[in-house]
Amino acid sequence: MSRETRADARLRITNEIMEAARRQLGEVGAAGLSLREIAREIGMVSSAVYRYVDSRDDLLTRLIIDAYDALGDVAERAASAPADTDLGRWTATASAIRRWAIAHPHEYQLLYGSPVPGYAAPDDTVGPGIRVVVALARIVGEAARHERLAAPGEPLGDLTPQLADDLRALADAVPDPFPADATTVLAFVVGWSQLFGLLSFELTNQTRGYVGDDADLFDAAARRVGHQIGLR
Amino acid sequence: MSRETRADARLRITNEIMEAARRQLGEVGAAGLSLREIAREIGMVSSAVYRYVDSRDDLLTRLIIDAYDALGDVAERAASAPADTDLGRWTATASAIRRWAIAHPHEYQLLYGSPVPGYAAPDDTVGPGIRVVVALARIVGEAARHERLAAPGEPLGDLTPQLADDLRALADAVPDPFPADATTVLAFVVGWSQLFGLLSFELTNQTRGYVGDDADLFDAAARRVGHQIGLR
DNA sequence: TGTACATCAGTGAACGCGCGTTCACTGATGTAC
DNA sequence: TGTACATCAGTGAACGCGCGTTCACTGATGTAC
């Protein structure tokens, strides 16, 4: 059995550090993340961690990027899986996002919960951060390009002109821009935030006891949102 | 000028402590809240704070209760103000909630953001905590009792029986129970979480730069939610 | 294949910091007679 | 109104703790010739 090469060891131990960090995230939250505790968990002296990580902030940044990428993978994979209908594709993607969040609640909180005191996310996190919303937008865009997008049900008719302009600009800003009127984009933005809002509610137990099966509630909400965007 | 009585001084200093705590909440978040720093801010020695507060956890609990009560006041006042229509009452209440959240972002995060590591909210927080959702439910309930609630637009038709039961039970559980079918209650629960989700998005800047005026977006979303619940 | 040197991983001690909480104390404010 | 005592607010020192980060070091792994 050949001895482990240095590069391999470096990879392995970096992974151990990240795993210990994620474990700790689950126990004390991002604000309580401690390099010394991580070192202890993997049986190293605290200063040794600095061979693998520049600083505590650097570690946080890596955790965030990894989490965004994991969630982005999940969303993109679900969004490009075969589906009978656009609405089915949408709800499947939403469900996949939810499942990841439920399986990784603390990483989800790291991304979408309260900001960590004293930490400012660097720009490297932006790219991975938008993958999930881009994956959702792509579903709508594709439906729109194939002219399968239903007209918005109730326009409500009183978007301010400024807001309507902003929303149309938003639809053009994503990769695969989709031709849609402002009300549709509003439904998308609002629906997008709704799904994340519902998830946050579920994760922080705000609906505790009200509803037996949160997954059913979420799926029903996702279907409703997709329908209102015009997906069928 | 008569000298300050002991009870008055106690009130005044307790207020000073709470204000300093809220100020600190805004700077370092709940996780970074420090009794020693509070003592410093109000020019006391750290141990003196213990004359007014049992422990750090006790202080957190008070902050939470105060914040819930402040938000509850705002929501209840808005919900009982004169309004031309049910939908107008609903959007006004939602706007009032948003304004409070924007004015007190860190208290809002304390209530609806990630949990504070190592802190478990005691039961005293439950009562104040539900005031805001009860205020919203009351608007729907009153409309329903006066038979001004429109039938749900798109039933989507496939709620699981279990979920439908849960939702109907929920409608009966609030004070002023309202007679509504499961789809309406679903719209309420989902809409409620949507408003909070949108607020969380706005506060953590997830929509940064997409939309010029977040208030317009929020109001449009609130109107849409209210409409879908059946308010007119 | 063997040797000389450079690179790197991990050690252990130390720095300076801030934290929550306790405790015996002093001196001022309130209360009972 | 005055005195004796009880209550309370605030002090300052101390306890024990954990943290991020630096630094000179040892010994093992890799590389060039």
Side-chain angles (χ1 to χ4, degrees), chain B residues 129-195:
Chain B
I130 60 174
R131 285 178 60 191
V132 56
V133 63
V134 167
L136 288 170
R138 208 183 294 262
I139 297 172
V140 181
E142 198 167 319
R145 250 176 288 106
H146 290 83
E147 302 193 336
R148 294 195 303 260
L149 204 58
E154 304 117 357
L156 297 185
D158 41 4
L159 295 181
T160 64
Q162 176 62 47
L163 180 56
D165 285 350
D166 285 344
L167 289 170
R168 266 189 299 266
L170 174 55
D172 293 335
V174 295
D176 291 319
F178 51 90
D181 59 285
T183 305
T184 300
V185 183
L186 172 66
F188 174 77
V189 173
V190 161
W192 165 43
S193 81
Q194 167 173 337
L195 296 183

Side-chain angles (χ1 to χ4, degrees), chain B:
Chain B
M1 179 174 168
S2 68
R3 235 171 44 280
E4 188 182 35
T5 167
R6 241 185 203 171
D8 287 347
R10 179 155 255 281
L11 262 178
R12 180 176 52 79
I13 296 184
T14 305
N15 281 337
E16 281 179 29
I17 289 177
M18 297 305 288
E19 268 166 39
R22 275 188 287 267
R23 208 159 40 229
Q24 232 189 93
L25 209 55
E27 280 157 29
V28 294
L33 199 77
S34 153
L35 290 189
R36 289 188 105 110
E37 179 58 30
I38 290 170
R40 246 171 266 132
E41 267 185 52
I42 65 178
M44 269 179 148
V45 99
S46 70
S47 52
V49 177
Y50 284 83
R51 297 277 170 218
Y52 300 90
V53 149
D54 285 346
S55 65
R56 202 189 96 113
D57 278 9
D58 175 43
L59 178 63
L60 266 178
T61 300
R62 292 206 214 177
L63 284 172
I64 290 174
I65 291 176
D66 284 0
Y68 271 135
D69 274 330
L71 180 57
D73 280 348
V74 160
E76 283 169 14
R77 195 160 27 240
S80 56
D84 288 346
T85 61
D86 293 320
L87 186 56
R89 185 187 302 282
W90 171 272
T91 52
T93 305
S95 280
I97 292 171
R98 175 180 176 277
R99 276 193 304 275
W100 185 88
I102 301 299
H104 306 89
H106 298 93
E107 283 162 274
Y108 181 86
Q109 292 285 3
L110 180 62
L111 303 181
Y112 298 102
S114 323
V116 181
Y119 171 81
D123 291 342
D124 326 22
T125 60
V126 173
I130 60 174
R131 285 178 60 191
V132 56
V133 63
V134 167
L136 288 170
R138 208 183 294 262
I139 297 172
V140 181
E142 198 167 319
R145 250 176 288 106
H146 290 83
E147 302 193 336
R148 294 195 303 260
L149 204 58
E154 304 117 357
L156 297 185
D158 41 4
L159 295 181
T160 64
Q162 176 62 47
L163 180 56
D165 285 350
D166 285 344
L167 289 170
R168 266 189 299 266
L170 174 55
D172 293 335
V174 295
D176 291 319
F178 51 90
D181 59 285
T183 305
T184 300
V185 183
L186 172 66
F188 174 77
V189 173
V190 161
W192 165 43
S193 81
Q194 167 173 337
L195 296 183
F196 282 79
L198 198 49
L199 260 178
S200 293
F201 259 44
E202 183 175 346
L203 288 174
T204 59
N205 246 326
Q206 305 270 353
T207 56
R208 166 173 13 218
Y210 291 160
V211 174
D213 192 338
D214 285 325
D216 283 346
L217 176 64
F218 184 86
D219 287 348
R223 226 177 306 121
R224 175 168 261 265
V225 165
H227 193 268
Q228 273 148 19
I229 293 171
L231 298 170
R232 296 294 183 275

